[in-house]
Amino acid sequence: MSTGTTITLGGLAGRRAIVTGSSSGIGRAIALALAAAGVRVVGAGRDRTKLDALQDEAPAGTMTTLALDLAGRGAADELVAIATAQLGGLDILVNSAGESPYGTLDDVGADDWQRAIDVKLIATAALIRLSAPHLAEGGGRVLNIVGTAGRRASPSYVLGCVNAALLHLTRSAGELYAARGITVNALNPGLTLTPRTERAMSALAADGRAPEEALERYVSSSIPLGRAATVDEVATFALFLLSDHASFATGSSFTLDGGASRGVVG
């Protein structure tokens, strides 16, 4: 029975966050959404020009940025040390870095495997471990942006297996840090309108079709809601998971894909 209560997303203003992968796409959208909610954010990414644009777009005084490559040795330590010094602590960690190329097991080379593992898995694990002592001071939030490839294998994206490892890491860390008041969850966006989408559609259009046609066919055949997500929709869902309203969720994985993931009930 409805109580008529209006729920207002809260518990974010005044908090301090690190968001990796902030140069573009979903990470950028989450960083901006947090800043708009009154969170002080350190946005990390590799592209200095894009990070400068991010800082300019955010509300004054809410965003600082750090250009670094999380594949580098010691990069995670550097990011956490600099961010916590600038912010005076840490309440939120969003891991959105890591973009692996599409390709089959026959196509993907050793360097691509190593980079995907270094950035998407090893750096994420290091950032969670290094951030935990700071997050525990007031109860904190960790959100890993993973993607539906972690649950659904495809021959055209063999590096999606790293996403599956991230889901395992999310569950493991969620159980480990629960006693310290830290929640660790994963968000699995489906097809989302980002620059990466264009590359994905180009891969699907290998038979000579235009990427736009490939996108239209993929959406019509695979997504019951009949469209891709926007980065703002993903960011809004992420903010809910980072807010006080999601305080009882940890070690969990949330799928946002317009109904594309099908399965059995039970």
Side-chain angles (χ1 to χ4, degrees), residues 27-265:
R28 185 180 194 277
I30 293 174
L32 287 172
L34 284 169
V39 178
R40 293 169 57 209
V41 180
V42 172
R46 289 186 292 158
D47 191 314
R48 179 73 266 169
T49 300
K50 291 181 179 179
L51 290 173
D52 288 342
L54 171 71
Q55 189 164 340
D56 290 342
E57 188 173 339
T62 61
M63 182 82 64
T64 58
T65 58
L66 180 62
L68 83 173
D69 186 347
L70 284 170
R73 184 179 298 274
D77 300 79
E78 178 184 0
L79 174 55
V80 173
I82 292 174
T84 53
Q86 288 181 349
L87 298 171
L90 189 66
D91 305 293
I92 293 168
L93 169 66
V94 178
N95 291 303
S96 189
E99 182 177 299
S100 348
Y102 291 91
T104 70
L105 184 58
D106 291 333
D107 301 328
V108 176
D111 289 344
D112 291 325
W113 276 102
Q114 193 61 61
R115 181 164 185 83
I117 293 168
D118 286 345
V119 177
K120 295 187 74 172
L121 183 58
I122 294 177
T124 295
L127 286 168
I128 296 172
R129 175 178 54 80
L130 294 165
S131 297
H134 305 281
L135 296 169
E137 291 182 5
R141 302 278 185 272
V142 176
L143 183 62
N144 300 322
I145 308 302
V146 178
T148 53
R151 292 189 177 276
R152 185 171 55 191
S154 165
S156 63
Y157 186 37
V158 67
L159 288 176
C161 66
V162 181
N163 292 22
L166 283 172
L167 296 181
H168 189 291
L169 172 65
T170 297
R171 182 66 188 182
S172 177
E175 292 189 22
L176 176 65
Y177 294 122
R180 304 189 203 179
I182 302 169
T183 68
V184 184
N185 291 297
L187 176 55
N188 302 320
L191 185 67
T192 306
L193 296 175
T194 69
R196 179 171 167 78
T197 303
E198 292 185 18
R199 293 190 289 276
M201 291 307 109
S202 294
L204 288 174
D207 59 2
R209 287 176 291 154
E212 295 79 9
E213 183 184 355
L215 175 61
E216 182 179 346
R217 289 192 181 186
Y218 179 84
V219 166
S220 63
S221 65
S222 303
I223 305 178
L225 281 181
R227 64 177 179 84
T230 68
V231 291
D232 289 338
E233 287 175 314
V234 178
T236 299
F237 201 99
L239 259 62
F240 169 76
L241 295 175
L242 296 169
S243 75
D244 287 346
H245 302 298
S247 60
F248 198 58
T250 196
S252 297
S253 171
F254 299 87
T255 297
L256 186 69
D257 67 356
S261 296
R262 295 173 173 86
V264 296
V265 177

